[in-house]
Amino acid sequence: MSYLAKVRESNPLIHNITNIVVANFSANGLLALGASPFMADAHEEVIDIAAMSSAVVLNIGTLNDYAIQSMLLAGKSANKHGVPLVLDPVGAGATSYRTAVTQKLVNEMQITALRGNVAEVANVIGESWSIKGVDAGEGEGDVVLLAEAAARKLSCVVIITGKDDVITNGKNTYIASNGHPILTKVTGTGCLLSAVVGAFLAVSGGASLEAAVEALSFYGVAAEIAAELTTGRGPGSFQVEFLNQLTWVTPEVFLERSSIKQLS
Ligand code: ATP
Ligand code: TZP
Ligand code: MG
Ligand code: MG
């Protein structure tokens, strides 16, 4: 059975500590996919919620000291209970505060999957790459080598997204090429993707790389179909149709359209 079918069958509870921009979109996207979102950051409850969840997703998009503490508590609880843990290091590198926070998070907990744009991932592992706010800037370097180095350094799956997506555990590397440029015109499509990766990891049974590859492919195919169905209308219509497609894309449809290449 595909991981997508498993998500829809088991309706995994996904604990999100995320930013104020995307909380609603992420919750709706997870619901549309077939998962069960739980957005919660109170120190009094995050340890318990992480422990009872099937995956925990940490996102530093609008970070502050309270949220960082929430993430440390939830992340350590996820580690203690064997719950897959995703980190989206939004804007790492944009300020020294963000860079320091992401580095503290990866040092104090074992991440299962790190998902960000190229600049964010570079800055998490102390490499420089220009960044403009929360969007990747121009940079020079080999994205595949960077992803593999990050995966080995952090002992986790690393997903670097952009026009093409790199997914690696440091040994095996895939390129997923589905998607559509209009994804860059809707805020939170990266953040929702990180939450969707969490839902796939929740049903992965430890096959994190395989589940992440399928998540990226599924997400890109849903975006392509939504873009086709809203051609000429714009990001508002696309956003609504994209949520629809997170529900309607079946394993058969995404397998037929998925474009994945294994590099090593
Ligand atoms: P950024 O802030 O740099 O936009 P992000 O966190 O929003 O980063 P993205 O890299 O935009 O994340 O990835 C979100 C989704 O959009 C992924 O599925 C990715 O494949 C897709 N995507 C991003 N840019 C393009 C593009 N030019 N063409 C096709 N798909 C894209
Ligand atoms: N500002 C702080 S977090 C955020 C913005 C615009 C959302 C970023 O979302 P994404 O998925 O990285 O585009
Ligand atoms: Mg984007
Ligand atoms: Mg992002």
Side-chain angles (χ1 to χ4, degrees):
M1 191 190 284
S2 66
Y3 296 111
L4 173 60
K6 285 185 184 166
V7 170
R8 290 182 176 152
E9 187 184 77
S10 65
N11 186 225
L13 183 66
I14 311 299
H15 179 197
N16 299 264
I17 301 178
T18 192
N19 67 73
I20 59 168
V21 182
V22 307
N24 177 271
F25 183 53
S26 298
N28 275 324
L30 286 170
L31 281 173
L33 168 64
S36 181
F38 195 166
M39 328 312 265
D41 68 353
H43 295 172
E44 293 79 0
E45 64 177 6
V46 289
I47 292 173
D48 294 339
I49 295 173
M52 72 176 77
S53 295
S54 297
V56 174
V57 181
L58 307 178
N59 178 309
I60 68 157
T62 49
L63 83 171
N64 53 60
D65 286 349
Y66 187 90
I68 295 162
Q69 191 56 30
S70 306
M71 291 183 200
L72 288 167
L73 292 168
K76 288 177 185 175
S77 176
N79 282 174
K80 183 175 166 192
H81 294 92
V83 175
L85 182 61
V86 179
L87 175 64
D88 187 330
V90 182
T95 64
S96 50
Y97 179 51
R98 275 171 198 263
T99 309
V101 166
T102 32
Q103 291 178 355
K104 182 176 171 67
L105 291 174
V106 297
N107 285 335
E108 294 200 17
M109 57 187 77
Q110 177 60 55
I111 302 299
T112 313
L114 176 73
R115 201 297 308 168
N117 64 42
V118 59
E120 292 163 345
V121 171
N123 280 284
V124 172
I125 61 159
E127 304 271 335
S128 66
W129 201 292
S130 69
I131 184 162
K132 189 180 82 184
V134 297
D135 295 326
E138 296 298 314
E140 288 186 11
D142 187 316
V143 179
V144 170
L145 290 181
L146 171 69
E148 291 173 343
R152 284 194 289 268
K153 183 163 184 180
L154 304 175
S155 302
C156 72
V157 169
V158 168
I159 302 158
I160 296 183
T161 53
K163 183 174 177 303
D164 294 317
D165 306 317
V166 182
I167 307 124
T168 183
N169 60 6
K171 292 196 289 284
N172 298 110
T173 303
Y174 296 82
I175 306 288
S177 304
N178 295 104
H180 193 279
I182 200 167
L183 281 165
T184 66
K185 300 299 176 194
V186 176
T187 193
T189 53
C191 301
L192 171 56
L193 171 60
S194 298
V196 166
V197 168
F200 277 68
L201 292 182
V203 299
S204 68
S208 306
L209 182 65
E210 292 74 12
V213 170
E214 189 178 305
L216 269 287
S217 176
F218 161 73
Y219 197 83
V221 168
E224 285 175 10
I225 295 172
E228 285 167 18
L229 292 174
T230 56
T231 302
R233 300 230 291 280
S237 301
F238 168 76
Q239 182 178 20
V240 171
E241 189 55 40
F242 182 51
L243 288 178
N244 293 336
Q245 292 307 317
L246 292 177
T247 293
W248 294 125
V249 169
T250 59
E252 293 72 26
V253 167
F254 92 75
L255 279 176
E256 196 181 309
R257 292 181 65 133
S258 99
S259 170
I260 296 169
K261 186 170 71 177
Q262 182 166 10
L263 294 185
S264 56

